[in-house]
């Protein structure tokens, strides 16, 4: 088999970035209306996330700053300031990404992405259930609505309550390792070369597994330097890429489960040694450091 031509090392990172972006653009162009990020989806940082990583929420229909604040325990002012919302009124758009620092974990009981906006958005609070003005003699520490739900706390109380909740229920990692091994090339730019993912050391034929459940949207070898490549679309607008494989075990349109073997590792595409090139993208073009959504090895 004729090996792919080698490019000078100073161009290798750029070509890899360009090739993967082109493949994603082609693959997603035909299915963007089907696989777009869903409103009401909350994505939490993985256990390997950096100190500044925060949860990201996709706005759903009828969401408001106040309803999101109550649902995830982040003060309304924090949401406004963090996302530079203009107002009042602070209008949110369906599909808009907003960051929620210190958001409490809301378990997903449906098996898919958390559709909290449609399912748990609280109704309007009646005027007779609102707490009295600050400083009032009749002001209790915490008020309950007729339905038994607490009304919003003060920003200081909310922050304290959120910290305690997050500490007690840390969010699980978003994805699983597709292959365990030494990270040969980390995410980011090193020595002037950009890597949109990570390269994981492997032995030829090692099983490559799906990092999360989803649908295969590309399976081929048309991208320079990535050899046999798979792209898998997941809930929440995430896409994972698996490159340099020796063989692909699934085809476009297949539904795959988390942990399912989808390929065999190799060094196709001219890789210097057997490895898996693994990328995580959101919305098709925004790259994410895979280490922020993977658990510690």
């Amino acid at each position: 088999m004729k090996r792919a031509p080698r490019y000078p090392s100073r161009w290798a990172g750029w070509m890899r970035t360009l090739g993967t972006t082109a493949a994603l653009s082609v693959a997603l162009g035909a299915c963007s209306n089907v696989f777009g990020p869903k409103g009401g989806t909350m994505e939490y940082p993985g256990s390997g996330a950096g100190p500044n990583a925060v949860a990201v929420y996709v706005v759903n229909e009828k969401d408001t700053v106040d309803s999101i604040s109550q649902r995830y325990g982040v003060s309304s002012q924090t949401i406004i300031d963090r996302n530079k919302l203009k107002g009042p009124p602070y209008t949110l758009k369906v599909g808009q990404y907003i960051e929620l620092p210190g958001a409490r974990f809301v378990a997903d009981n449906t098996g898919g992405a958390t559709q909290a906006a449609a399912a748990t958005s609280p109704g309007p609070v009646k005027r007779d259930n609102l707490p009295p003005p600050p400083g009032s003699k009749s002001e209790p520490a915490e008020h309950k609505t007729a339905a038994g739900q607490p009304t919003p706390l003060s920003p200081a109380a909310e922050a304290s309550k959120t910290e305690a909740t997050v500490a007690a229920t840390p969010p699980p990692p978003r994805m699983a390792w597709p292959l365990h091994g030494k990270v040969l090339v980390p995410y980011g730019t090193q020595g002037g070369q950009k890597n949109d993912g990570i390269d994981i050391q492997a032995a030829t034929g090692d099983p490559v597994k799906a990092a999360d459940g989803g649908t295969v949207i590309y399976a081929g070898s048309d991208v320079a330097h990535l050899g046999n490549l798979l792209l898998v679309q997941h809930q929440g607008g995430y896409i994972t890429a698996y490159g340099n494989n020796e063989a692909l075990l699934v085809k476009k349109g297949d539904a795959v489960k988390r942990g399912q073997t989808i390929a065999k590792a190799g060094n196709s595409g001219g890789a210097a040694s057997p490895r898996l090139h693994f990328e995580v993208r959101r919305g098709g073009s925004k790259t994410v450091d895979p280490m922020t959504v993977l658990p510690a090895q």
Side-chain angles (χ1 to χ4, degrees):
M1 180 180 292
K2 185 178 180 181
R3 294 176 65 85
R6 297 292 185 91
Y7 286 81
S9 60
R10 64 193 180 94
W11 293 107
W14 181 81
M15 288 301 296
R16 169 164 289 189
T17 299
L18 178 61
T20 308
T21 301
L24 286 167
S25 297
V26 171
L28 294 177
C31 54
S32 60
N33 291 332
V34 178
F35 295 109
K38 296 182 179 181
T41 301
M42 170 66 91
E43 299 298 342
Y44 300 90
S47 60
N52 297 321
V54 299
V56 177
Y57 179 74
V58 183
V59 174
N60 201 13
E61 187 178 4
K62 297 183 180 180
D63 271 336
T64 66
V65 171
D66 287 341
S67 68
I68 296 173
S69 169
Q70 293 181 45
R71 191 179 313 133
Y72 293 105
V74 182
S75 70
S76 298
Q77 193 59 51
T78 296
I79 297 175
I80 293 167
D81 294 342
R82 177 78 181 202
N83 298 280
K84 298 181 174 60
L85 302 180
K86 296 180 180 180
Y90 301 102
T91 304
L92 301 175
K93 297 180 180 179
V94 175
Q96 177 181 354
Y97 291 93
I98 60 173
E99 296 183 353
L100 302 180
R104 62 171 168 248
F105 177 62
V106 177
D108 175 14
N109 296 320
T110 65
T114 305
Q115 301 297 320
T120 64
S121 180
V125 180
K126 296 181 179 180
R127 182 175 298 277
D128 58 0
N129 288 322
L130 291 174
S136 169
K137 294 182 179 179
S138 61
E139 181 184 6
E142 184 178 42
H143 295 267
K144 300 285 183 177
T145 64
Q149 297 298 319
T151 55
L153 303 174
S154 67
E158 284 192 68
S160 176
K161 186 175 181 180
T162 298
E163 291 175 0
T165 303
V166 172
T169 56
R174 178 67 175 79
M175 297 182 179
W177 282 85
L179 183 150
H180 287 283
K182 178 182 178 181
V183 176
L184 298 173
V185 185
Y187 174 87
T189 302
Q190 294 84 32
Q193 297 183 18
K194 181 180 180 182
N195 190 6
D196 284 336
I198 58 175
D199 287 14
I200 308 171
Q201 187 176 39
T204 300
D206 277 353
V208 175
K209 301 181 179 181
D212 199 5
T215 303
V216 179
I217 58 174
Y218 177 87
S221 57
D222 300 327
V223 182
H225 301 288
L226 289 184
N228 295 318
L229 172 69
L230 287 174
L231 300 179
V232 180
Q233 171 78 48
H234 310 281
Q235 290 282 1
Y238 281 98
I239 295 171
T240 50
Y242 311 77
N244 300 129
N245 299 290
E246 178 186 45
L248 306 181
L249 304 181
V250 292
K251 63 184 182 301
K252 182 179 178 179
D254 284 353
V256 298
K257 297 180 180 179
R258 182 188 183 100
Q260 176 182 337
T261 300
I262 56 178
K264 294 182 179 180
N267 62 337
S268 63
S273 61
R275 66 187 62 200
L276 172 68
H277 177 71
F278 178 63
E279 293 186 14
V280 179
R281 291 179 177 246
R282 188 166 190 173
S285 59
K286 181 181 179 182
T287 63
V288 176
D289 184 350
M291 302 301 287
T292 65
V293 295
L294 294 173
Q297 286 203 86

